[in-house]
């Protein structure tokens, strides 16, 4: 799947594109923007395709009308899962995990703009994003244990401890309790809090600032953040030496130097 971001028209969520920033809006507000089998798959395919869409420099993910995402739809997903055999169940859980892989695997920074309910798979999408901007109304809950499932869903046991630490992640994943906005900011889950009426503007301003930066280098940073967790310090330092040497051959690096010498602000072009 490849697409033109200016004409892309997904079926199961809203898409907007301007100034190098794509905005994905989960849009079923009457049910607090839940996910379905179809929206999982379309989101996965979209984030996979973004690897090949350099015009998109940053992605903002949000939900419509005061909530982020309530997770898997109870009637469309949870009910059918109780009747599936193991091969079908494994196909589903691998598919949902593939969405997280796609979010982490695309080179674009992904910003979650979180208001209201952010639960279950919605909390996972927020977790998988690179930055999280929330409102004081944001309520994050990894609810899996509440429905008789393990907290180890869609990479939560690997990624969440990286963000907030092992003990705090254990608290949320064992209990399924709600993480309030202030607590989430203190713990480092939320990068910052803004008022609800300013949420999307703040997320888009942050996205535009990143999009105006050296986007090839941003992609390199995201790659290194993904892969350095499981290597030694020595290996990480060598990997970063190679990554930085590659970035030093980009035109953006030269543009930054030339602008500094001329006492101007560099204009990056992502190459």
């Amino acid at each position: 799947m490849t697409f033109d971001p200016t004409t892309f028209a997904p079926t199961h969520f809203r898409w907007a594109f301007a100034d190098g920033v794509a905005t994905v809006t989960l849009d079923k507000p009457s049910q607090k923007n839940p996910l379905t089998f179809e929206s999982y798959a379309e989101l996965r395919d979209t984030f996979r395709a973004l690897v090949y869409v350099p015009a998109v420099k940053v992605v903002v993910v949000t939900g419509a009308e005061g909530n982020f995402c309530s997770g898997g739809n109870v009637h469309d997903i949870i009910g059918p899962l109780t009747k599936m055999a193991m091969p079908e169940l494994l196909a589903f859980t691998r598919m949902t995990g593939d969405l997280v892989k796609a979010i982490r695997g695309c080179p674009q920074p992904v910003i979650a703009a979180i208001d209201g309910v952010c639960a279950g798979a919605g909390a996972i999408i927020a977790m998988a994003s690179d930055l999280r901007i929330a409102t004081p109304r944001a309520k994050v809950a990894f609810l899996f244990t509440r429905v008789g499932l393990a907290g180890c869903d869609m990479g939560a046991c690997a990624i969440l401890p990286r963000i907030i630490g092992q003990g705090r992640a254990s608290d949320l994943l064992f209990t399924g309790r709600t993480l309030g906005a202030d607590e989430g900011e203190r713990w480092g889950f939320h990068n910052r809090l803004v008022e609800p009426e300013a949420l999307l503007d703040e997320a888009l301003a942050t996205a535009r600032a990143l999009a105006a930066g050296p986007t090839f280098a941003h992609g390199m940073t995201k790659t290194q953040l993904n892969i350095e967790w499981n290597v030694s310090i020595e290996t990480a330092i060598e990997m970063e030496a190679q990554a930085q040497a590659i970035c030093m051959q980009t035109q953006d690096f030269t543009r930054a130097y030339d602008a500094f010498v001329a006492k101007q602000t560099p204009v990056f072009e992502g190459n």
Side-chain angles (χ1 to χ4, degrees):
M1 174 186 175
T2 58
F3 61 88
D4 179 347
T6 64
T7 59
F8 181 50
T11 302
H12 301 288
F13 51 87
R14 284 195 279 124
W15 171 274
F17 178 71
D19 303 320
V21 178
T23 303
V24 170
T25 304
L26 304 175
D27 189 19
K28 197 168 184 180
S30 63
Q31 299 179 36
K32 301 179 182 177
N33 309 315
L35 296 170
T36 64
F37 291 114
E38 294 78 16
S39 61
Y40 265 121
E42 191 169 32
L43 285 166
R44 174 203 61 194
D45 293 345
T46 300
F47 278 100
R48 279 180 175 171
L50 285 172
V51 174
Y52 308 105
V53 187
V56 176
K57 302 180 184 304
V58 184
V59 181
V60 173
V61 182
T62 193
E65 298 186 22
N67 290 294
F68 185 73
C69 175
S70 57
N73 185 286
V74 173
H75 299 295
D76 291 348
I77 289 185
I78 306 302
L81 289 177
T82 63
K83 299 176 176 61
M84 287 185 186
M86 180 57 68
E88 296 170 290
L89 292 170
L90 188 55
F92 170 74
T93 54
R94 284 175 171 162
M95 185 264 287
T96 62
D98 280 346
L99 171 56
V100 173
K101 292 179 187 178
I103 293 171
R104 297 306 314 150
C106 71
Q108 295 88 349
V110 178
I111 301 170
I114 306 165
D115 193 13
V117 171
C118 176
I124 294 289
I125 291 173
M127 175 198 77
S129 300
D130 298 287
L131 299 171
R132 286 158 294 280
I133 301 172
T135 76
R137 306 187 304 200
K139 298 177 181 179
V140 176
F142 297 84
L143 291 173
F144 311 109
T145 190
R146 297 289 184 93
V147 295
L149 297 176
C152 55
D153 196 48
M154 300 172 69
C157 286
I159 299 173
L160 191 60
R162 300 189 191 190
I163 301 170
I164 61 174
Q166 185 84 0
R168 288 169 170 170
S170 298
D171 175 4
L172 296 181
L173 296 178
F174 278 124
T175 66
R177 72 172 180 85
T178 296
L179 178 70
D182 289 338
E183 186 178 27
E185 185 184 33
R186 290 199 310 272
W187 282 14
F189 187 80
H190 301 310
N191 294 91
R192 58 186 176 275
L193 301 180
V194 299
E195 290 304 312
E197 60 272 16
L199 176 62
L200 190 56
D201 287 343
E202 178 73 12
L204 290 173
T206 302
R208 285 191 291 267
L210 291 174
T215 52
F216 176 87
H218 288 339
M220 191 71 77
T221 299
K222 183 167 179 175
T223 296
Q224 296 306 122
L225 284 167
N226 281 339
I227 65 180
E228 287 186 25
W229 188 261
N230 293 316
V231 302
S232 68
I233 294 296
E234 291 78 9
T235 300
I237 290 171
E238 175 58 25
M239 292 167 69
E240 293 192 7
Q242 295 183 27
Q244 202 70 302
I246 292 169
C247 289
M248 288 173 182
Q249 288 198 317
T250 64
Q251 294 178 47
D252 273 348
F253 181 60
T254 303
R255 290 184 186 105
Y257 171 74
D258 291 343
F260 177 81
V261 171
K263 298 183 179 180
Q264 298 174 345
T265 300
V267 178
F268 295 115
E269 297 182 20
N271 61 353

